[in-house]
Amino acid sequence: GDWVEKGDCIATIAKPQTDSRRLGGRRLEAVMVEENVTAPKKGWVDKESSLVAGQKIKDNQVGSAIAVIDFGPPWWLLLLGFLLALCCMMCCLFKIMQKEPPPVPEDEVMSPLKKRFEDGPRRGVRLDFQKEGQAINTVWAQFRPLGIHHGYEAPLVANDFTINSYSKDALGVKHGEVLVAINGDSVRGNENWDEVSGKLNNHLAQFPQWPLEIEFRKELDGPPCIVTFVERPIGIEFFRRAPVQVEKVHENTPATKKGVATGWYITKIGDKNVQNNHDFEQVMVWLKEGVQPLDPAKQPE
């Protein structure tokens, strides 16, 4: 089990320098010289023959070797172990350096409806918007549709927003921002509208409808009553005058289920205040724009 370096002496043997021969009837002994048996490489002496000094090797040696030296594992095995350790270190470093997605910025002013939807943890489809020369604005969509006037053109640019726009009112998408990624899949520079819209709609299809919030008042100067709708038609007819007032509420419609009554005034549609608006046709345009994205009401079986 001793350690030896290359060239260290393992054993000293005596070997004849010349063969024995007869001269004048007498046998002359061969001349013996000593020679060191050295280690060819460094390593640990693993096995040794039990040699006795002064006796012939063949009478004491077991096997074909005087000693066996363990040179250790081959160099390529050490290199392989080093490379595996290096890979493990790189994987750990990559995991540590990974960043969590940035949080969605909070809205400065939120309606009671939007505040209720902000109570839970962040989930949904990750959407990255960016305005030229500015940082990426990451939002997490949990409802549909986004409520952006896109003109069926790609890239999708938030040039304008609809009434009751989910992306503007709740997600904080800014005017002029461009959709550059959907759930981490880049759509930057993609001008294929069918491809971009298809990918966006496939991700949003699993989520519920973004409700339309309408503010009613029994009297124009009375307290507001906020009613939310997720289905259309909502089931209301109006007097053709402004301020807009409810003329009739149809039975078995979302409006009757929400308790809307004849004579109530509409004072706000989404984020659009219409309390002092005296243009009946314009208010109806805004109302239809807010109602149109809602899901069709299920017909009774």
Side-chain angles (χ1 to χ4, degrees), residues 50-151:
S50 301
L51 302 179
V52 178
Q55 294 187 4
K56 294 182 178 181
I57 294 176
K58 66 179 182 179
D59 296 335
N60 293 273
Q61 183 178 352
V62 178
S64 59
I66 294 175
V68 177
I69 299 177
D70 183 7
F71 300 134
W75 65 269
W76 58 265
L77 189 59
L78 295 176
L79 178 60
L80 179 60
F82 173 78
L83 292 176
L84 288 176
L86 183 62
C87 289
C88 292
M89 292 177 60
M90 294 297 292
C91 290
C92 293
L93 185 61
F94 176 78
K95 188 68 176 179
I96 293 173
M97 294 181 65
Q98 275 188 320
K99 295 182 179 180
E100 293 293 329
V104 181
E106 298 287 343
D107 292 339
E108 294 182 0
V109 180
M110 301 180 69
S111 70
L113 171 65
K114 298 176 182 62
K115 287 181 180 178
R116 290 197 296 273
F117 287 129
E118 287 294 315
D119 292 339
R122 298 290 183 187
R123 297 190 182 91
V125 179
R126 174 174 174 164
L127 303 176
D128 292 332
F129 288 85
Q130 187 175 28
K131 199 170 184 177
E132 185 175 357
Q134 298 184 7
I136 290 179
N137 177 22
T138 298
V139 300
W140 296 86
Q142 304 175 61
F143 293 89
R144 58 175 172 82
L146 293 180
I148 297 176
H149 283 305
H150 42 66

Side-chain angles (χ1 to χ4, degrees), residues 89-255:
M89 292 177 60
M90 294 297 292
C91 290
C92 293
L93 185 61
F94 176 78
K95 188 68 176 179
I96 293 173
M97 294 181 65
Q98 275 188 320
K99 295 182 179 180
E100 293 293 329
V104 181
E106 298 287 343
D107 292 339
E108 294 182 0
V109 180
M110 301 180 69
S111 70
L113 171 65
K114 298 176 182 62
K115 287 181 180 178
R116 290 197 296 273
F117 287 129
E118 287 294 315
D119 292 339
R122 298 290 183 187
R123 297 190 182 91
V125 179
R126 174 174 174 164
L127 303 176
D128 292 332
F129 288 85
Q130 187 175 28
K131 199 170 184 177
E132 185 175 357
Q134 298 184 7
I136 290 179
N137 177 22
T138 298
V139 300
W140 296 86
Q142 304 175 61
F143 293 89
R144 58 175 172 82
L146 293 180
I148 297 176
H149 283 305
H150 42 66
Y152 301 98
E153 294 182 353
L156 193 155
V157 184
N159 288 324
D160 197 9
F161 300 95
T162 64
I163 294 292
N164 191 48
S165 171
Y166 172 51
S167 60
K168 179 173 73 73
D169 297 343
L171 299 181
V173 176
K174 304 297 189 299
H175 188 275
E177 289 185 334
V178 181
L179 180 65
V180 296
I182 304 171
N183 249 13
D185 188 5
S186 176
V187 293
R188 188 188 298 272
N190 191 333
E191 298 182 354
N192 187 326
W193 168 250
D194 291 336
E195 183 177 334
V196 174
S197 63
K199 186 176 299 184
L200 180 62
N201 292 334
N202 286 339
H203 282 292
L204 293 178
Q206 60 183 306
F207 297 105
Q209 170 73 45
W210 177 244
L212 171 63
E213 192 176 76
I214 299 180
E215 180 186 275
F216 293 90
R217 297 175 189 259
K218 295 181 179 179
E219 303 292 339
L220 281 176
D221 55 355
C225 175
I226 298 176
V227 180
T228 59
F229 297 94
V230 294
E231 294 181 330
R232 60 178 169 83
I234 60 176
I236 303 176
E237 293 184 17
F238 303 94
F239 292 106
R240 295 188 60 82
R241 60 174 183 262
V244 176
Q245 190 177 20
V246 176
E247 180 180 11
K248 181 179 181 180
V249 180
H250 293 271
E251 295 184 359
N252 299 320
T253 61

